[in-house]
mmCIF file of all heavy atoms in Angstrom:
data_model
loop_
_atom_site.group_PDB
_atom_site.id
_atom_site.type_symbol
_atom_site.label_atom_id
_atom_site.label_comp_id
_atom_site.label_asym_id
_atom_site.label_seq_id
_atom_site.Cartn_x
_atom_site.Cartn_y
_atom_site.Cartn_z
ATOM 1 N N MET A 1 -4.687 -10.143 1.211
ATOM 2 C CA MET A 1 -4.286 -8.788 0.784
ATOM 3 C C MET A 1 -4.400 -7.853 2.074
ATOM 4 O O MET A 1 -5.374 -7.989 2.823
ATOM 5 C CB MET A 1 -5.186 -8.174 -0.230
ATOM 6 C CG MET A 1 -5.142 -8.983 -1.517
ATOM 7 S SD MET A 1 -4.250 -8.081 -2.756
ATOM 8 C CE MET A 1 -5.601 -7.154 -3.439
ATOM 9 N N ILE A 2 -3.410 -7.081 2.322
ATOM 10 C CA ILE A 2 -3.460 -6.091 3.493
ATOM 11 C C ILE A 2 -3.265 -4.680 2.855
ATOM 12 O O ILE A 2 -2.492 -4.504 1.937
ATOM 13 C CB ILE A 2 -2.512 -6.546 4.545
ATOM 14 C CG1 ILE A 2 -1.117 -6.629 3.939
ATOM 15 C CG2 ILE A 2 -2.825 -7.733 5.195
ATOM 16 C CD1 ILE A 2 0.061 -6.688 4.986
ATOM 17 N N THR A 3 -4.004 -3.913 3.516
ATOM 18 C CA THR A 3 -3.997 -2.416 3.021
ATOM 19 C C THR A 3 -3.593 -1.506 4.160
ATOM 20 O O THR A 3 -4.048 -1.561 5.244
ATOM 21 C CB THR A 3 -5.379 -1.977 2.494
ATOM 22 O OG1 THR A 3 -5.904 -3.065 1.593
ATOM 23 C CG2 THR A 3 -5.406 -0.678 1.880
ATOM 24 N N ASN A 4 -2.643 -0.577 3.784
ATOM 25 C CA ASN A 4 -2.118 0.364 4.582
ATOM 26 C C ASN A 4 -1.733 -0.048 6.027
ATOM 27 O O ASN A 4 -1.835 0.569 7.053
ATOM 28 C CB ASN A 4 -3.215 1.461 4.870
ATOM 29 C CG ASN A 4 -3.593 2.227 3.649
ATOM 30 O OD1 ASN A 4 -2.737 2.452 2.859
ATOM 31 N ND2 ASN A 4 -4.823 2.673 3.517
ATOM 32 N N VAL A 5 -1.032 -1.172 5.905
ATOM 33 C CA VAL A 5 -0.404 -1.760 7.193
ATOM 34 C C VAL A 5 1.114 -1.577 7.037
ATOM 35 O O VAL A 5 1.814 -1.205 7.923
ATOM 36 C CB VAL A 5 -0.834 -3.203 7.441
ATOM 37 C CG1 VAL A 5 -0.139 -3.766 8.645
ATOM 38 C CG2 VAL A 5 -2.329 -3.370 7.636
ATOM 39 N N ILE A 6 1.554 -2.091 5.853
ATOM 40 C CA ILE A 6 3.043 -2.050 5.568
ATOM 41 C C ILE A 6 3.206 -0.876 4.534
ATOM 42 O O ILE A 6 2.332 -0.753 3.622
ATOM 43 C CB ILE A 6 3.492 -3.356 4.886
ATOM 44 C CG1 ILE A 6 3.122 -4.456 5.868
ATOM 45 C CG2 ILE A 6 5.087 -3.213 4.747
ATOM 46 C CD1 ILE A 6 3.373 -5.782 5.205
ATOM 47 N N LYS A 7 4.289 -0.223 4.607
ATOM 48 C CA LYS A 7 4.560 0.766 3.528
ATOM 49 C C LYS A 7 5.726 0.226 2.660
ATOM 50 O O LYS A 7 6.680 -0.396 3.135
ATOM 51 C CB LYS A 7 5.098 2.190 4.210
ATOM 52 C CG LYS A 7 3.827 2.871 4.654
ATOM 53 C CD LYS A 7 4.117 4.287 5.082
ATOM 54 C CE LYS A 7 2.983 5.042 5.550
ATOM 55 N NZ LYS A 7 3.265 6.368 5.999
ATOM 56 N N CYS A 8 5.615 0.472 1.368
ATOM 57 C CA CYS A 8 6.541 0.056 0.469
ATOM 58 C C CYS A 8 7.850 0.850 0.582
ATOM 59 O O CYS A 8 7.802 2.081 0.727
ATOM 60 C CB CYS A 8 6.061 0.221 -0.994
ATOM 61 S SG CYS A 8 7.171 -0.539 -2.193
ATOM 62 N N LYS A 9 8.985 0.116 0.568
ATOM 63 C CA LYS A 9 10.288 0.840 0.736
ATOM 64 C C LYS A 9 10.869 1.291 -0.645
ATOM 65 O O LYS A 9 11.903 1.880 -0.555
ATOM 66 C CB LYS A 9 11.252 -0.170 1.424
ATOM 67 C CG LYS A 9 10.849 -0.344 2.919
ATOM 68 C CD LYS A 9 11.692 -1.459 3.506
ATOM 69 C CE LYS A 9 11.156 -1.802 4.929
ATOM 70 N NZ LYS A 9 11.754 -3.114 5.292
ATOM 71 N N ASN A 10 10.307 0.823 -1.674
ATOM 72 C CA ASN A 10 10.820 1.159 -2.960
ATOM 73 C C ASN A 10 10.682 2.654 -3.207
ATOM 74 O O ASN A 10 9.486 3.070 -3.374
ATOM 75 C CB ASN A 10 10.081 0.332 -4.014
ATOM 76 C CG ASN A 10 10.743 0.588 -5.390
ATOM 77 O OD1 ASN A 10 11.553 1.430 -5.603
ATOM 78 N ND2 ASN A 10 10.117 -0.161 -6.349
ATOM 79 N N PRO A 11 11.696 3.480 -3.307
ATOM 80 C CA PRO A 11 11.483 4.913 -3.563
ATOM 81 C C PRO A 11 10.811 5.123 -4.891
ATOM 82 O O PRO A 11 10.339 6.295 -5.074
ATOM 83 C CB PRO A 11 12.912 5.482 -3.481
ATOM 84 C CG PRO A 11 13.741 4.363 -3.673
ATOM 85 C CD PRO A 11 13.115 3.027 -3.254
ATOM 86 N N ARG A 12 10.862 4.282 -5.850
ATOM 87 C CA ARG A 12 10.285 4.524 -7.177
ATOM 88 C C ARG A 12 8.796 3.910 -7.301
ATOM 89 O O ARG A 12 8.303 4.103 -8.275
ATOM 90 C CB ARG A 12 11.135 3.791 -8.217
ATOM 91 C CG ARG A 12 12.411 4.486 -8.527
ATOM 92 C CD ARG A 12 13.150 3.740 -9.570
ATOM 93 N NE ARG A 12 14.213 4.510 -10.206
ATOM 94 C CZ ARG A 12 14.851 4.063 -11.138
ATOM 95 N NH1 ARG A 12 14.684 2.916 -11.802
ATOM 96 N NH2 ARG A 12 15.730 4.910 -11.736
ATOM 97 N N CYS A 13 8.373 3.334 -6.267
ATOM 98 C CA CYS A 13 7.051 2.747 -6.272
ATOM 99 C C CYS A 13 5.958 3.909 -6.256
ATOM 100 O O CYS A 13 6.199 5.016 -5.727
ATOM 101 C CB CYS A 13 6.872 2.030 -5.000
ATOM 102 S SG CYS A 13 5.162 1.143 -4.951
ATOM 103 N N ILE A 14 4.873 3.601 -6.927
ATOM 104 C CA ILE A 14 3.841 4.687 -7.085
ATOM 105 C C ILE A 14 3.281 5.108 -5.687
ATOM 106 O O ILE A 14 2.794 6.259 -5.624
ATOM 107 C CB ILE A 14 2.740 4.156 -8.055
ATOM 108 C CG1 ILE A 14 1.803 5.259 -8.440
ATOM 109 C CG2 ILE A 14 1.938 2.966 -7.508
ATOM 110 C CD1 ILE A 14 0.875 5.111 -9.665
ATOM 111 N N THR A 15 3.271 4.205 -4.816
ATOM 112 C CA THR A 15 2.789 4.547 -3.469
ATOM 113 C C THR A 15 3.644 5.629 -2.726
ATOM 114 O O THR A 15 3.262 6.354 -1.830
ATOM 115 C CB THR A 15 2.735 3.296 -2.522
ATOM 116 O OG1 THR A 15 3.972 2.753 -2.341
ATOM 117 C CG2 THR A 15 1.715 2.332 -3.061
ATOM 118 N N THR A 16 4.944 5.583 -3.138
ATOM 119 C CA THR A 16 5.804 6.604 -2.547
ATOM 120 C C THR A 16 5.660 7.978 -3.283
ATOM 121 O O THR A 16 5.751 9.087 -2.685
ATOM 122 C CB THR A 16 7.277 6.186 -2.731
ATOM 123 O OG1 THR A 16 7.367 4.779 -2.415
ATOM 124 C CG2 THR A 16 8.286 6.946 -1.753
ATOM 125 N N VAL A 17 5.364 7.967 -4.612
ATOM 126 C CA VAL A 17 5.210 9.074 -5.394
ATOM 127 C C VAL A 17 3.837 9.752 -5.196
ATOM 128 O O VAL A 17 3.615 10.918 -4.926
ATOM 129 C CB VAL A 17 5.410 8.727 -6.918
ATOM 130 C CG1 VAL A 17 5.173 9.937 -7.706
ATOM 131 C CG2 VAL A 17 6.759 8.047 -7.150
ATOM 132 N N GLU A 18 2.817 8.876 -5.220
ATOM 133 C CA GLU A 18 1.411 9.377 -5.032
ATOM 134 C C GLU A 18 1.037 9.219 -3.542
ATOM 135 O O GLU A 18 0.956 8.124 -3.002
ATOM 136 C CB GLU A 18 0.402 8.602 -5.842
ATOM 137 C CG GLU A 18 0.687 8.710 -7.405
ATOM 138 C CD GLU A 18 0.052 9.997 -7.911
ATOM 139 O OE1 GLU A 18 -0.830 10.521 -7.271
ATOM 140 O OE2 GLU A 18 0.611 10.506 -8.906
ATOM 141 N N GLN A 19 0.791 10.278 -2.840
ATOM 142 C CA GLN A 19 0.494 10.258 -1.431
ATOM 143 C C GLN A 19 -0.980 9.756 -1.175
ATOM 144 O O GLN A 19 -1.132 9.246 -0.027
ATOM 145 C CB GLN A 19 0.571 11.557 -0.855
ATOM 146 C CG GLN A 19 1.988 12.278 -1.138
ATOM 147 C CD GLN A 19 2.653 12.851 -0.036
ATOM 148 O OE1 GLN A 19 2.051 13.404 0.798
ATOM 149 N NE2 GLN A 19 3.934 12.678 0.098
ATOM 150 N N GLU A 20 -1.839 9.906 -2.116
ATOM 151 C CA GLU A 20 -3.243 9.443 -1.900
ATOM 152 C C GLU A 20 -3.490 8.024 -2.115
ATOM 153 O O GLU A 20 -4.650 7.626 -1.875
ATOM 154 C CB GLU A 20 -4.133 10.286 -2.821
ATOM 155 C CG GLU A 20 -3.934 11.774 -2.732
ATOM 156 C CD GLU A 20 -4.901 12.564 -1.832
ATOM 157 O OE1 GLU A 20 -6.135 12.289 -2.073
ATOM 158 O OE2 GLU A 20 -4.500 13.369 -1.078
ATOM 159 N N ILE A 21 -2.529 7.278 -2.640
ATOM 160 C CA ILE A 21 -2.758 5.965 -3.026
ATOM 161 C C ILE A 21 -2.642 4.984 -1.720
ATOM 162 O O ILE A 21 -1.914 5.276 -0.791
ATOM 163 C CB ILE A 21 -1.830 5.551 -4.188
ATOM 164 C CG1 ILE A 21 -2.397 4.501 -5.014
ATOM 165 C CG2 ILE A 21 -0.489 5.128 -3.620
ATOM 166 C CD1 ILE A 21 -1.673 4.463 -6.354
ATOM 167 N N ASP A 22 -3.600 3.936 -1.795
ATOM 168 C CA ASP A 22 -3.448 2.944 -0.731
ATOM 169 C C ASP A 22 -2.229 2.065 -0.820
ATOM 170 O O ASP A 22 -1.848 1.717 -1.963
ATOM 171 C CB ASP A 22 -4.624 2.031 -0.798
ATOM 172 C CG ASP A 22 -5.850 2.787 -0.170
ATOM 173 O OD1 ASP A 22 -5.788 3.718 0.638
ATOM 174 O OD2 ASP A 22 -7.061 2.359 -0.511
ATOM 175 N N HIS A 23 -1.608 1.692 0.311
ATOM 176 C CA HIS A 23 -0.553 0.809 0.286
ATOM 177 C C HIS A 23 -1.007 -0.631 0.365
ATOM 178 O O HIS A 23 -1.496 -0.995 1.426
ATOM 179 C CB HIS A 23 0.474 1.024 1.418
ATOM 180 C CG HIS A 23 1.143 2.365 1.317
ATOM 181 N ND1 HIS A 23 2.534 2.506 1.223
ATOM 182 C CD2 HIS A 23 0.723 3.719 1.290
ATOM 183 C CE1 HIS A 23 2.889 3.741 1.049
ATOM 184 N NE2 HIS A 23 1.783 4.493 1.161
ATOM 185 N N ILE A 24 -1.015 -1.373 -0.685
ATOM 186 C CA ILE A 24 -1.630 -2.754 -0.679
ATOM 187 C C ILE A 24 -0.599 -3.746 -0.921
ATOM 188 O O ILE A 24 0.211 -3.650 -1.853
ATOM 189 C CB ILE A 24 -2.774 -2.749 -1.809
ATOM 190 C CG1 ILE A 24 -3.740 -1.629 -1.629
ATOM 191 C CG2 ILE A 24 -3.375 -4.171 -1.678
ATOM 192 C CD1 ILE A 24 -4.672 -1.540 -2.726
ATOM 193 N N PHE A 25 -0.550 -4.653 -0.039
ATOM 194 C CA PHE A 25 0.368 -5.738 -0.118
ATOM 195 C C PHE A 25 -0.324 -7.134 -0.220
ATOM 196 O O PHE A 25 -1.408 -7.264 0.402
ATOM 197 C CB PHE A 25 1.352 -5.786 1.146
ATOM 198 C CG PHE A 25 2.471 -4.778 1.055
ATOM 199 C CD1 PHE A 25 2.261 -3.527 1.197
ATOM 200 C CD2 PHE A 25 3.663 -5.250 0.661
ATOM 201 C CE1 PHE A 25 3.284 -2.548 1.096
ATOM 202 C CE2 PHE A 25 4.877 -4.257 0.467
ATOM 203 C CZ PHE A 25 4.525 -3.000 0.688
ATOM 204 N N LYS A 26 0.194 -8.089 -0.921
ATOM 205 C CA LYS A 26 -0.431 -9.297 -1.143
ATOM 206 C C LYS A 26 0.525 -10.366 -0.561
ATOM 207 O O LYS A 26 1.685 -10.251 -0.774
ATOM 208 C CB LYS A 26 -0.615 -9.539 -2.683
ATOM 209 C CG LYS A 26 -1.433 -10.701 -2.960
ATOM 210 C CD LYS A 26 -1.634 -10.759 -4.491
ATOM 211 C CE LYS A 26 -2.525 -11.924 -4.872
ATOM 212 N NZ LYS A 26 -2.698 -12.024 -6.385
ATOM 213 N N LEU A 27 -0.158 -11.292 0.056
ATOM 214 C CA LEU A 27 0.660 -12.465 0.596
ATOM 215 C C LEU A 27 0.997 -13.396 -0.558
ATOM 216 O O LEU A 27 0.150 -14.035 -1.096
ATOM 217 C CB LEU A 27 -0.122 -13.193 1.586
ATOM 218 C CG LEU A 27 0.529 -14.276 2.493
ATOM 219 C CD1 LEU A 27 1.794 -13.831 3.171
ATOM 220 C CD2 LEU A 27 -0.332 -14.959 3.355
ATOM 221 N N THR A 28 2.252 -13.532 -0.907
ATOM 222 C CA THR A 28 2.619 -14.270 -2.138
ATOM 223 C C THR A 28 3.245 -15.582 -1.709
ATOM 224 O O THR A 28 3.263 -16.447 -2.505
ATOM 225 C CB THR A 28 3.624 -13.517 -3.019
ATOM 226 O OG1 THR A 28 4.695 -13.207 -2.191
ATOM 227 C CG2 THR A 28 3.004 -12.351 -3.694
ATOM 228 N N ASP A 29 3.620 -15.706 -0.458
ATOM 229 C CA ASP A 29 4.286 -16.954 0.057
ATOM 230 C C ASP A 29 3.898 -17.199 1.591
ATOM 231 O O ASP A 29 4.345 -16.563 2.442
ATOM 232 C CB ASP A 29 5.748 -16.853 0.053
ATOM 233 C CG ASP A 29 6.522 -18.192 0.359
ATOM 234 O OD1 ASP A 29 5.903 -18.963 1.066
ATOM 235 O OD2 ASP A 29 7.596 -18.298 -0.115
ATOM 236 N N LYS A 30 2.828 -18.024 1.696
ATOM 237 C CA LYS A 30 2.312 -18.259 2.962
ATOM 238 C C LYS A 30 3.235 -18.890 3.916
ATOM 239 O O LYS A 30 3.225 -18.556 5.113
ATOM 240 C CB LYS A 30 1.009 -19.134 2.865
ATOM 241 C CG LYS A 30 -0.148 -18.355 2.381
ATOM 242 C CD LYS A 30 -1.487 -19.179 2.311
ATOM 243 C CE LYS A 30 -2.653 -18.373 1.736
ATOM 244 N NZ LYS A 30 -3.816 -19.084 1.447
ATOM 245 N N GLN A 31 4.120 -19.828 3.415
ATOM 246 C CA GLN A 31 5.009 -20.416 4.330
ATOM 247 C C GLN A 31 5.987 -19.594 5.013
ATOM 248 O O GLN A 31 6.374 -19.652 6.103
ATOM 249 C CB GLN A 31 5.626 -21.656 3.613
ATOM 250 C CG GLN A 31 4.700 -22.849 3.339
ATOM 251 C CD GLN A 31 5.427 -24.023 2.844
ATOM 252 O OE1 GLN A 31 6.410 -23.833 2.176
ATOM 253 N NE2 GLN A 31 4.923 -25.180 3.167
ATOM 254 N N ASN A 32 6.481 -18.734 4.070
ATOM 255 C CA ASN A 32 7.535 -17.809 4.598
ATOM 256 C C ASN A 32 7.028 -16.413 4.913
ATOM 257 O O ASN A 32 7.700 -15.468 5.248
ATOM 258 C CB ASN A 32 8.635 -17.690 3.519
ATOM 259 C CG ASN A 32 9.360 -18.906 3.222
ATOM 260 O OD1 ASN A 32 9.830 -19.492 4.205
ATOM 261 N ND2 ASN A 32 9.473 -19.249 1.983
ATOM 262 N N ARG A 33 5.609 -16.298 4.804
ATOM 263 C CA ARG A 33 5.007 -14.954 5.143
ATOM 264 C C ARG A 33 5.618 -13.788 4.429
ATOM 265 O O ARG A 33 5.897 -12.768 4.902
ATOM 266 C CB ARG A 33 4.977 -14.742 6.652
ATOM 267 C CG ARG A 33 4.213 -15.821 7.377
ATOM 268 C CD ARG A 33 3.976 -15.423 8.789
ATOM 269 N NE ARG A 33 2.623 -15.576 9.201
ATOM 270 C CZ ARG A 33 1.867 -14.582 9.644
ATOM 271 N NH1 ARG A 33 2.355 -13.408 9.763
ATOM 272 N NH2 ARG A 33 0.611 -14.815 9.957
ATOM 273 N N VAL A 34 5.715 -14.024 3.133
ATOM 274 C CA VAL A 34 6.296 -12.993 2.259
ATOM 275 C C VAL A 34 5.117 -12.158 1.713
ATOM 276 O O VAL A 34 4.309 -12.660 1.025
ATOM 277 C CB VAL A 34 7.145 -13.523 1.095
ATOM 278 C CG1 VAL A 34 7.657 -12.389 0.183
ATOM 279 C CG2 VAL A 34 8.286 -14.294 1.581
ATOM 280 N N TYR A 35 5.188 -10.797 1.912
ATOM 281 C CA TYR A 35 4.280 -9.979 1.327
ATOM 282 C C TYR A 35 4.926 -9.130 0.272
ATOM 283 O O TYR A 35 6.050 -8.676 0.383
ATOM 284 C CB TYR A 35 3.684 -9.006 2.411
ATOM 285 C CG TYR A 35 2.775 -9.699 3.364
ATOM 286 C CD1 TYR A 35 3.297 -10.224 4.509
ATOM 287 C CD2 TYR A 35 1.353 -9.685 3.133
ATOM 288 C CE1 TYR A 35 2.375 -10.845 5.430
ATOM 289 C CE2 TYR A 35 0.554 -10.237 4.054
ATOM 290 C CZ TYR A 35 1.115 -10.851 5.157
ATOM 291 O OH TYR A 35 0.277 -11.458 6.163
ATOM 292 N N ARG A 36 4.246 -8.877 -0.807
ATOM 293 C CA ARG A 36 4.724 -8.089 -1.909
ATOM 294 C C ARG A 36 3.759 -6.890 -2.271
ATOM 295 O O ARG A 36 2.558 -7.125 -2.281
ATOM 296 C CB ARG A 36 4.942 -8.922 -3.246
ATOM 297 C CG ARG A 36 6.234 -9.830 -3.176
ATOM 298 C CD ARG A 36 6.297 -10.493 -4.359
ATOM 299 N NE ARG A 36 7.439 -11.564 -4.305
ATOM 300 C CZ ARG A 36 8.681 -11.231 -4.459
ATOM 301 N NH1 ARG A 36 9.077 -10.138 -4.899
ATOM 302 N NH2 ARG A 36 9.563 -12.287 -4.389
ATOM 303 N N CYS A 37 4.445 -5.850 -2.539
ATOM 304 C CA CYS A 37 3.661 -4.627 -2.937
ATOM 305 C C CYS A 37 2.844 -5.031 -4.251
ATOM 306 O O CYS A 37 3.546 -5.633 -5.194
ATOM 307 C CB CYS A 37 4.608 -3.467 -3.194
ATOM 308 S SG CYS A 37 3.869 -2.076 -3.850
ATOM 309 N N ILE A 38 1.684 -4.658 -4.430
ATOM 310 C CA ILE A 38 1.088 -5.023 -5.639
ATOM 311 C C ILE A 38 1.335 -4.144 -6.820
ATOM 312 O O ILE A 38 1.100 -4.539 -8.009
ATOM 313 C CB ILE A 38 -0.560 -5.051 -5.442
ATOM 314 C CG1 ILE A 38 -1.062 -3.616 -5.103
ATOM 315 C CG2 ILE A 38 -1.043 -6.151 -4.530
ATOM 316 C CD1 ILE A 38 -2.549 -3.502 -5.427
ATOM 317 N N TYR A 39 1.963 -3.007 -6.553
ATOM 318 C CA TYR A 39 2.358 -2.085 -7.634
ATOM 319 C C TYR A 39 3.738 -2.423 -8.266
ATOM 320 O O TYR A 39 3.885 -2.419 -9.334
ATOM 321 C CB TYR A 39 2.295 -0.615 -7.139
ATOM 322 C CG TYR A 39 0.903 -0.285 -6.476
ATOM 323 C CD1 TYR A 39 0.766 -0.236 -5.085
ATOM 324 C CD2 TYR A 39 -0.142 0.018 -7.290
ATOM 325 C CE1 TYR A 39 -0.464 0.064 -4.400
ATOM 326 C CE2 TYR A 39 -1.315 0.399 -6.689
ATOM 327 C CZ TYR A 39 -1.532 0.369 -5.331
ATOM 328 O OH TYR A 39 -2.647 0.702 -4.836
ATOM 329 N N CYS A 40 4.678 -2.601 -7.305
ATOM 330 C CA CYS A 40 6.036 -2.753 -7.769
ATOM 331 C C CYS A 40 6.562 -4.086 -7.476
ATOM 332 O O CYS A 40 7.656 -4.466 -7.839
ATOM 333 C CB CYS A 40 6.970 -1.714 -7.289
ATOM 334 S SG CYS A 40 7.199 -1.831 -5.494
ATOM 335 N N GLU A 41 5.856 -4.949 -6.707
ATOM 336 C CA GLU A 41 6.210 -6.320 -6.290
ATOM 337 C C GLU A 41 7.507 -6.404 -5.426
ATOM 338 O O GLU A 41 8.161 -7.448 -5.383
ATOM 339 C CB GLU A 41 6.473 -7.212 -7.567
ATOM 340 C CG GLU A 41 5.158 -7.207 -8.402
ATOM 341 C CD GLU A 41 5.080 -8.441 -9.303
ATOM 342 O OE1 GLU A 41 6.140 -8.738 -9.874
ATOM 343 O OE2 GLU A 41 4.084 -9.078 -9.540
ATOM 344 N N SER A 42 7.822 -5.260 -4.786
ATOM 345 C CA SER A 42 8.819 -5.370 -3.732
ATOM 346 C C SER A 42 8.488 -6.228 -2.561
ATOM 347 O O SER A 42 7.270 -6.150 -2.212
ATOM 348 C CB SER A 42 9.195 -3.883 -3.308
ATOM 349 O OG SER A 42 9.931 -3.296 -4.168
ATOM 350 N N LYS A 43 9.378 -6.856 -1.988
ATOM 351 C CA LYS A 43 9.149 -7.661 -0.784
ATOM 352 C C LYS A 43 9.026 -6.795 0.402
ATOM 353 O O LYS A 43 9.772 -5.784 0.540
ATOM 354 C CB LYS A 43 10.277 -8.551 -0.601
ATOM 355 C CG LYS A 43 10.118 -10.004 -1.159
ATOM 356 C CD LYS A 43 11.229 -10.856 -0.594
ATOM 357 C CE LYS A 43 11.436 -11.969 -1.539
ATOM 358 N NZ LYS A 43 12.665 -12.782 -1.049
ATOM 359 N N ALA A 44 8.180 -7.097 1.288
ATOM 360 C CA ALA A 44 8.069 -6.388 2.578
ATOM 361 C C ALA A 44 8.587 -7.373 3.630
ATOM 362 O O ALA A 44 8.184 -8.496 3.724
ATOM 363 C CB ALA A 44 6.595 -6.004 2.817
ATOM 364 N N ARG A 45 9.486 -6.949 4.531
ATOM 365 C CA ARG A 45 9.994 -7.640 5.658
ATOM 366 C C ARG A 45 10.966 -8.828 5.137
ATOM 367 O O ARG A 45 11.049 -9.150 4.034
ATOM 368 C CB ARG A 45 9.059 -8.181 6.571
ATOM 369 C CG ARG A 45 8.588 -6.982 7.345
ATOM 370 C CD ARG A 45 7.322 -7.569 8.191
ATOM 371 N NE ARG A 45 6.522 -6.401 8.689
ATOM 372 C CZ ARG A 45 5.395 -6.526 9.439
ATOM 373 N NH1 ARG A 45 5.040 -7.646 9.804
ATOM 374 N NH2 ARG A 45 4.763 -5.482 9.692
HETATM 375 ZN ZN1 ZN B 101 5.763 -0.787 -4.024
#
């Protein structure tokens, strides 16, 4: 899990709406290094 390194690009995500919330991403695919937002599950990169 990584916090406040990547920002979620989903305009409807709670991290975009709530400014005080931490941007937390979880590594869901180690081989392809896919990170997903824990709130909306959008892919990062
Ligand atoms: Zn998100």
Side-chain angles (χ1 to χ4, degrees):
M1 297 253 274
I2 53 170
T3 306
N4 292 329
V5 177
I6 308 168
K7 286 189 178 180
C8 186
K9 289 173 191 164
N10 180 0
R12 288 179 161 188
C13 181
I14 192 163
T15 60
T16 318
V17 179
E18 296 284 337
Q19 309 225 322
E20 307 260 315
I21 208 160
D22 284 335
H23 292 244
I24 305 171
F25 280 76
K26 192 177 181 182
L27 184 63
T28 55
D29 187 337
K30 282 184 183 173
Q31 287 190 327
N32 296 311
R33 297 189 128 239
V34 175
Y35 288 90
R36 282 181 189 272
C37 175
I38 64 159
Y39 305 102
C40 68
E41 303 201 319
S42 281
K43 267 191 206 173
R45 289 173 200 179

